[in-house]
Each structure stands twice: as structure tokens, then as C-alpha cells.
Amino acid sequence: MKIHPDAQEGLVLVGDLTVPFYDTGAPYDARPTVVLVHGTGGSASTHFRTLFPMLTTRYRVIALDLQTTNGELSLGYLSAQVSRVIDERAPNQGVHLVGYSLGALVAADLAADRPATALTLTLVAGWVRAGTQQKLRNRIWQRLFETDDNLLREFATLTAYGPPFLASKTDSEVQALIEARQFPAGIAEQMKLNRDADLSDKLPKVLAPTLVIAGSYDQMVPDRQSKLLFGGIANARYAVIESGHAVPQERPAQLFQIINEFLTIPEAFPRGQVQERIHI
């Protein structure tokens, strides 16, 4: 399914990789540009299928599908792909970076290394380095990945969504979520990166105004991990959405609202502020 009817699709070469991109504007587009970076095991379409079209009502939107290999994976390897797509599609422009889950770490890595590129930075369900709970979940995930795909789909669904979201679904709807879950090539390497990545040395270099968003029911990345991310960036503010880890799927309208407010009314988000966004 096409991510958006107005999105141009293409490929950008990054070394020997071909990285798919989706872009709703031409390089001369005058609208502010938002760049979306997806998370572990996902793609632009699976993680941003609802948020992407919402953002296109106000912004030029670029997204990409990160590529992995069977070798060692690093944040720099992934952020280089995002950088290359930006240089190809929006040369010599500042952009608004939005990263989700592992994509939040990738976006932060890019913003630290290329401060002129990141006009703002929005980090959704991100972390600085994995804590004990994340590492335990990662170990269970790895064992199930090696032994039982069906049980892994159930485990991943259980931990991805918040209890209120799952409680609102029928048994058949929950089963559909389980059956729809896929484990693409390279996901094991991404999970290893989730466990080993460490932004501690990069965060002091992030100069862009930053919005850190946590899910109040996040079982994959507890909100205390996002608070560490908030505390590590000098020009940051913090918001909580009533959601599990799958914020873009559970609460896309709230996520769009808060991102749009941050980008258009910066004075509503003073540095150091904490906001609670409760779903009604």
C-alpha cells in the first residue's frame, strides 16, 4: 500500500545500499520539511502509516526505510542513511527530525553530528542506553526468535501496546495484530543495537530544540528511560502520551497534535517543561 498518494517514491544510494524514500515535495518545496525515522523491525509505512498523511497537511514529509546487513550494526551506519536521503532530497536545508523507538536514537545521533541540519528534534519512545528491564526483554525476545515465531508474535504484541489499548480490542482484533506482526531481515541485528547502543557521549552535542515524548504505559522503553534522554539534552522539553510503546499506532492524532504545536508554537514548549497528554 502506497504510504501517501502524493508521495514520490525512489531510491538513494548509500555506499552499496539502496535506501527507499518517500517524499511529498520536490527539493524546491517551500514548506517546512519533516523527516521521519522509523523504529526496530519497522518501515516508514508500518510505523507511520497514519502519522505521515496527518503531517502532510502542514508540512513536506520525507520518510525512508532503514536498511540493515547481517554484520555489525551501529547508530552511525543508520544515521548515515538518513543523512544521505536528506542531502539528496533537501540539500542545504534544515529539517525537523522525528525519530521513533530505535529511530529516536538514530535521529539524535544525526542531530549531534550535524547540528546545522536539525532545526528541531522530536524523540518518541527513545532512550539513552538500555536499562535492566529492556535488556531482560531483549534476551527473552532473542530466545523466542530462535525457537518459536508464533509465541514471539504474541510476546511482541503484548509488550508493544499499552493495556488500555489492548483492553479496547476484541479477541479477533488482538489476533489480527498478532498475525500481522512480521520479523524482517536484519531485525536481530537491530535488536542487538537496541541493547548495546549508547547516546551518552552524543547528547551534549545536540543543540536543536528537542521534544522528548514518552508513552505512559510503555513496557518496551519505560518512561524513566525517556526521562534520562530528556535530562541529557540541554534544550529539551518532555511530554507524556497515554500509550504503550506503539505511540504512532495507538495515539497518532495526539502525536500529530503535539509535534505540530512544537514546530509551530515553540513558545508553548519552554525548555525544561514537562507536559502530560491524557487521552480522553
Side-chain angles (χ1 to χ4, degrees), residues 32 59 96 119-122 208-211 235-238 257-275 277:
Y59 307 95
H96 301 282
L119 297 176
T120 66
L121 181 63
T122 301
T210 300
L211 173 63
N235 190 2
R237 57 282 295 143
Y238 184 82
Q257 179 189 30
I258 195 170
I259 291 173
N260 183 57
E261 287 179 5
F262 174 53
L263 299 188
T264 58
I265 318 173
E267 61 272 17
F269 292 85
R271 178 187 306 191
Q273 185 182 65
V274 176
Q275 291 195 14
R277 295 299 175 108

Side-chain angles (χ1 to χ4, degrees), residues 39-42 68 73 102 185-195:
T40 304
T68 60
L73 193 62
L102 176 59
I187 191 171
E189 287 72 27
Q190 292 180 36
M191 287 296 292
K192 183 177 184 297
L193 181 58
N194 287 347
R195 183 194 70 200

Side-chain angles (χ1 to χ4, degrees), residues 109-205:
D109 183 80
L110 190 157
D113 289 344
R114 296 183 53 171
T117 297
L119 297 176
T120 66
L121 181 63
T122 301
L123 307 176
V124 184
W127 63 97
V128 180
R129 57 179 178 272
T132 302
Q133 182 176 337
Q134 290 170 275
K135 291 177 180 178
L136 175 59
R137 177 190 167 273
N138 198 295
R139 289 201 301 271
I140 296 171
W141 187 98
Q142 184 62 42
R143 290 172 184 171
L144 292 175
F145 181 72
E146 295 169 354
T147 59
D148 194 330
D149 278 358
N150 291 329
L151 189 55
L152 178 57
R153 287 186 177 89
E154 294 187 358
F155 176 71
T157 302
L158 172 66
T159 55
Y161 299 103
F165 178 83
L166 290 175
S168 72
K169 303 298 179 184
T170 65
D171 289 346
S172 61
E173 288 172 332
V174 172
Q175 188 59 37
L177 290 173
I178 293 169
E179 293 175 357
R181 189 161 292 278
Q182 301 295 319
F183 304 111
I187 191 171
E189 287 72 27
Q190 292 180 36
M191 287 296 292
K192 183 177 184 297
L193 181 58
N194 287 347
R195 183 194 70 200
D196 297 339
D198 189 343
L199 283 173
S200 300
D201 292 338
K202 290 294 183 92
L203 295 187
K205 301 176 184 177

